[in-house]
Amino acid sequence: MSSLPPAAFPPALGVDLSPGRRPALVMVDLVRAYFDPGSPLCLPTDDVLGSAARVLSAARRSAVPVLHTRVAYDSGGADGGVFLRKLPALEGFAGGGPLAEIMEVVAPVDGEPVVVKQYASAFFGTSLASTLMSLGVDTLVVAGVSTSGCVRATAVDALQHGLVPVVVRDAVADRASGPHEANLYDLQAKYAQVVSEDEALTYLGSCG
């Protein structure tokens, strides 16, 4: 039996999902820890912020609900559990501090909730699901970091909560191109609709 070349992806499994008419936008963990060169979580580039800011502006223009997430632990990190033991770089979120601040270019405004989480998914152990349900949301547009971690976990959980996840390719980022591309491929294949920034802007603009 022949095997695929190491860099090749298998044929896609899933079909396209059609986004609904009542979306919300979640901005996942666009905090200083991922953009400060002194942070162990720092990404190789801050290009994602420009795209995420444009998606955010489009949602606001159309009065689409916007929610933000950030990670925070108590000063001892006990609420980080095994996740914090596995990834000690998250200790920068213990007790608050500048690394946990949302970047100014995508900072929330009045009326945009900030969901504080301890684990990868924005749904796990938070009020996100009940908030989206109360708003009558049927589609969750996802921007933020990182593609292979909190973005993926949030998109998968959105699907599992009965929402259509729409991941904006240009508005998510990871620490390397390999996991970024592989996870976008896998999300499109099985869990979400992965779209370009232009497609996301057009969609959000149509929901106003």
Side-chain angles (χ1 to χ4, degrees):
M1 183 174 66
S2 61
S3 60
L4 289 167
F9 290 121
L13 297 173
V15 299
D16 286 343
L17 291 170
S18 296
R21 299 303 306 164
R22 295 185 61 86
L25 169 65
V26 62
M27 304 284 283
V28 178
D29 296 355
L30 288 167
V31 299
R32 196 165 302 281
Y34 295 99
F35 304 100
D36 185 328
S39 167
L41 296 171
C42 189
L43 300 172
T45 174
D46 64 0
D47 288 351
V48 66
L49 288 173
S51 180
R54 290 187 290 272
V55 172
L56 176 60
S57 294
R60 287 171 174 166
R61 285 194 299 272
S62 293
V64 168
V66 176
L67 304 95
H68 304 256
T69 78
R70 65 181 185 88
V71 177
Y73 301 113
D74 66 27
S75 58
D79 51 348
V82 178
F83 190 29
L84 195 56
R85 284 165 46 197
K86 174 64 178 177
L87 193 58
L90 295 173
E91 291 173 0
F93 294 123
L99 290 181
E101 296 174 357
I102 296 174
M103 297 295 286
E104 185 175 355
V105 68
V106 289
V109 297
D110 287 347
E112 295 177 355
V114 177
V115 176
V116 179
K117 63 190 184 73
Q118 286 76 44
Y119 290 89
S121 172
F123 287 91
F124 185 81
T126 76
S127 61
L128 180 59
S130 58
T131 300
L132 296 175
M133 184 179 296
S134 72
L135 293 170
V137 167
D138 58 21
T139 301
L140 190 63
V141 180
V142 183
V145 296
S146 66
T147 313
S148 60
C150 299
V151 167
R152 180 191 175 104
T154 298
V156 170
D157 271 2
L159 178 81
Q160 293 170 164
H161 280 84
L163 303 171
V164 175
V166 175
V167 178
V168 186
R169 169 181 289 275
D170 311 278
V172 298
D174 214 313
R175 282 171 291 280
S177 61
H180 174 72
E181 293 296 336
N183 279 275
L184 288 175
Y185 176 89
D186 206 44
L187 283 165
Q188 174 63 39
K190 294 183 289 188
Y191 304 110
Q193 192 67 20
V194 177
V195 303
S196 68
E197 178 189 321
D198 286 345
E199 289 172 314
L201 297 181
T202 299
Y203 168 61
L204 291 169
S206 74
C207 296

CSV table of all heavy atoms in Angstrom, one decimal, residues 14-15 24 33-35 75 80 88 112 119 124-125 128 134 151 162 167 169 175 179 185 189 199 201:
chain,number,residue,atom,x,y,z
A,14,GLY,N,-15.4,16.6,4.7
A,14,GLY,CA,-16.6,17.3,4.9
A,14,GLY,C,-17.1,18.1,3.8
A,14,GLY,O,-16.5,18.3,2.8
A,15,VAL,N,-18.3,18.7,4.0
A,15,VAL,CA,-18.9,19.6,3.0
A,15,VAL,C,-18.9,21.0,3.6
A,15,VAL,O,-18.7,21.2,4.8
A,15,VAL,CB,-20.3,19.1,2.7
A,15,VAL,CG1,-20.3,17.7,2.1
A,15,VAL,CG2,-21.2,19.2,3.9
A,24,ALA,N,-22.3,36.0,15.8
A,24,ALA,CA,-21.6,36.7,16.8
A,24,ALA,C,-20.1,36.5,16.4
A,24,ALA,O,-19.7,35.6,15.7
A,24,ALA,CB,-21.8,36.3,18.2
A,33,ALA,N,0.6,38.9,25.7
A,33,ALA,CA,1.5,37.7,25.8
A,33,ALA,C,1.9,37.2,24.5
A,33,ALA,O,3.0,36.6,24.3
A,33,ALA,CB,0.8,36.6,26.7
A,34,TYR,N,1.0,37.3,23.5
A,34,TYR,CA,1.3,36.8,22.2
A,34,TYR,C,2.0,37.7,21.2
A,34,TYR,O,2.4,37.4,20.1
A,34,TYR,CB,0.0,36.3,21.5
A,34,TYR,CG,-0.6,35.1,22.3
A,34,TYR,CD1,-1.6,35.3,23.2
A,34,TYR,CD2,-0.1,33.8,22.1
A,34,TYR,CE1,-2.1,34.3,23.9
A,34,TYR,CE2,-0.6,32.8,22.9
A,34,TYR,CZ,-1.6,33.0,23.8
A,34,TYR,OH,-2.1,32.0,24.5
A,35,PHE,N,2.3,38.9,21.7
A,35,PHE,CA,2.9,40.0,20.8
A,35,PHE,C,4.1,40.7,21.5
A,35,PHE,O,4.7,41.5,20.9
A,35,PHE,CB,1.8,41.0,20.4
A,35,PHE,CG,0.6,40.3,19.7
A,35,PHE,CD1,-0.5,40.1,20.4
A,35,PHE,CD2,0.7,39.9,18.4
A,35,PHE,CE1,-1.6,39.4,19.8
A,35,PHE,CE2,-0.3,39.3,17.8
A,35,PHE,CZ,-1.5,39.0,18.5
A,75,SER,N,-3.3,34.0,41.7
A,75,SER,CA,-1.9,34.3,41.9
A,75,SER,C,-1.1,33.0,42.0
A,75,SER,O,0.1,33.0,41.6
A,75,SER,CB,-1.7,35.2,43.1
A,75,SER,OG,-2.2,34.6,44.3
A,80,GLY,N,-5.4,26.8,37.1
A,80,GLY,CA,-4.9,26.3,35.8
A,80,GLY,C,-4.8,24.8,35.7
A,80,GLY,O,-4.6,24.3,34.6
A,88,PRO,N,3.9,25.5,31.2
A,88,PRO,CA,4.4,26.5,32.2
A,88,PRO,C,4.4,27.9,31.7
A,88,PRO,O,4.4,28.9,32.5
A,88,PRO,CB,5.7,26.0,32.6
A,88,PRO,CG,5.7,24.5,32.3
A,88,PRO,CD,4.9,24.4,31.1
A,112,GLU,N,-19.3,45.1,24.9
A,112,GLU,CA,-18.6,43.9,24.4
A,112,GLU,C,-18.1,43.1,25.6
A,112,GLU,O,-17.0,43.5,26.1
A,112,GLU,CB,-17.5,44.2,23.4
A,112,GLU,CG,-18.1,44.9,22.1
A,112,GLU,CD,-17.0,45.3,21.1
A,112,GLU,OE1,-15.8,45.2,21.5
A,112,GLU,OE2,-17.4,45.8,20.1
A,119,TYR,N,-8.8,27.6,30.3
A,119,TYR,CA,-8.4,26.5,29.4
A,119,TYR,C,-8.5,26.9,27.9
A,119,TYR,O,-8.8,28.1,27.7
A,119,TYR,CB,-9.3,25.3,29.7
A,119,TYR,CG,-8.9,24.7,31.1
A,119,TYR,CD1,-9.6,25.1,32.2
A,119,TYR,CD2,-7.9,23.7,31.2
A,119,TYR,CE1,-9.2,24.6,33.4
A,119,TYR,CE2,-7.6,23.2,32.4
A,119,TYR,CZ,-8.2,23.6,33.6
A,119,TYR,OH,-7.9,23.1,34.8
A,124,PHE,N,-15.3,26.3,27.6
A,124,PHE,CA,-15.1,25.5,28.8
A,124,PHE,C,-15.1,26.3,30.1
A,124,PHE,O,-14.2,27.1,30.3
A,124,PHE,CB,-13.8,24.7,28.7
A,124,PHE,CG,-13.6,23.6,29.8
A,124,PHE,CD1,-14.3,22.4,29.7
A,124,PHE,CD2,-12.9,23.9,30.9
A,124,PHE,CE1,-14.2,21.5,30.7
A,124,PHE,CE2,-12.7,23.0,31.9
A,124,PHE,CZ,-13.4,21.8,31.8
A,125,GLY,N,-16.0,26.0,31.0
A,125,GLY,CA,-16.1,26.6,32.3
A,125,GLY,C,-16.4,28.1,32.3
A,125,GLY,O,-16.1,28.8,33.2
A,128,LEU,N,-19.9,31.7,28.0
A,128,LEU,CA,-20.0,32.0,26.6
A,128,LEU,C,-21.3,31.3,26.0
A,128,LEU,O,-22.0,32.0,25.3
A,128,LEU,CB,-18.8,31.6,25.9
A,128,LEU,CG,-18.8,31.8,24.4
A,128,LEU,CD1,-19.0,33.3,24.1
A,128,LEU,CD2,-17.5,31.3,23.7
A,134,SER,N,-28.6,33.3,24.7
A,134,SER,CA,-29.6,34.4,25.0
A,134,SER,C,-29.7,35.4,23.9
A,134,SER,O,-30.7,36.1,23.8
A,134,SER,CB,-29.1,35.1,26.3
A,134,SER,OG,-28.0,35.9,26.1
A,151,VAL,N,-8.1,28.7,19.3
A,151,VAL,CA,-9.0,28.9,18.2
A,151,VAL,C,-9.6,27.6,17.8
A,151,VAL,O,-10.8,27.5,17.6
A,151,VAL,CB,-8.2,29.5,17.0
A,151,VAL,CG1,-9.0,29.4,15.7
A,151,VAL,CG2,-7.8,31.0,17.3
A,162,GLY,N,-24.0,23.4,18.7
A,162,GLY,CA,-25.0,23.7,17.7
A,162,GLY,C,-24.9,24.9,16.9
A,162,GLY,O,-25.8,25.3,16.2
A,167,VAL,N,-14.2,30.3,10.8
A,167,VAL,CA,-12.8,30.6,11.2
A,167,VAL,C,-12.3,31.5,10.1
A,167,VAL,O,-12.2,31.1,8.9
A,167,VAL,CB,-12.0,29.4,11.5
A,167,VAL,CG1,-10.5,29.8,11.8
A,167,VAL,CG2,-12.6,28.6,12.6
A,169,ARG,N,-9.4,32.8,8.2
A,169,ARG,CA,-8.0,32.4,8.0
A,169,ARG,C,-7.0,33.5,8.3
A,169,ARG,O,-6.0,33.2,8.9
A,169,ARG,CB,-7.9,31.9,6.5
A,169,ARG,CG,-6.4,31.6,6.1
A,169,ARG,CD,-6.4,31.2,4.6
A,169,ARG,NE,-6.9,29.8,4.5
A,169,ARG,CZ,-6.1,28.7,4.7
A,169,ARG,NH1,-4.9,28.9,5.0
A,169,ARG,NH2,-6.7,27.6,4.5
A,175,ARG,N,2.3,29.9,16.1
A,175,ARG,CA,3.8,30.2,16.2
A,175,ARG,C,4.6,29.6,15.1
A,175,ARG,O,5.8,29.9,15.0
A,175,ARG,CB,4.2,29.6,17.6
A,175,ARG,CG,3.9,30.5,18.8
A,175,ARG,CD,4.2,29.8,20.1
A,175,ARG,NE,3.3,28.7,20.4
A,175,ARG,CZ,2.0,28.9,20.8
A,175,ARG,NH1,1.5,30.1,21.0
A,175,ARG,NH2,1.3,27.8,21.0
A,179,PRO,N,1.7,24.0,12.0
A,179,PRO,CA,0.4,23.8,12.7
A,179,PRO,C,-0.7,24.7,12.3
A,179,PRO,O,-1.9,24.3,12.4
A,179,PRO,CB,0.9,24.0,14.2
A,179,PRO,CG,2.2,24.7,14.1
A,179,PRO,CD,2.8,24.3,12.9
A,185,TYR,N,-6.7,23.3,7.8
A,185,TYR,CA,-7.2,22.2,6.9
A,185,TYR,C,-8.1,21.3,7.7
A,185,TYR,O,-9.2,20.9,7.2
A,185,TYR,CB,-6.0,21.4,6.4
A,185,TYR,CG,-6.4,20.3,5.6
A,185,TYR,CD1,-6.5,20.4,4.2
A,185,TYR,CD2,-6.6,19.0,6.1
A,185,TYR,CE1,-6.9,19.3,3.4
A,185,TYR,CE2,-7.0,17.9,5.4
A,185,TYR,CZ,-7.2,18.1,4.0
A,185,TYR,OH,-7.6,17.0,3.3
A,189,ALA,N,-12.1,20.5,7.1
A,189,ALA,CA,-12.4,19.1,6.8
A,189,ALA,C,-13.5,18.6,7.6
A,189,ALA,O,-14.4,17.8,7.2
A,189,ALA,CB,-11.2,18.2,6.8
A,199,GLU,N,-14.0,37.3,2.5
A,199,GLU,CA,-15.3,36.6,2.7
A,199,GLU,C,-16.0,36.9,4.0
A,199,GLU,O,-17.2,37.1,4.0
A,199,GLU,CB,-15.1,35.1,2.5
A,199,GLU,CG,-14.7,34.6,1.1
A,199,GLU,CD,-14.3,33.2,1.1
A,199,GLU,OE1,-13.5,32.7,1.9
A,199,GLU,OE2,-14.7,32.5,0.2
A,201,LEU,N,-15.6,39.7,5.8
A,201,LEU,CA,-16.1,41.0,5.7
A,201,LEU,C,-17.4,41.1,4.9
A,201,LEU,O,-18.4,41.9,5.3
A,201,LEU,CB,-15.1,42.0,5.1
A,201,LEU,CG,-13.7,42.1,5.9
A,201,LEU,CD1,-12.8,43.0,5.2
A,201,LEU,CD2,-14.0,42.5,7.3
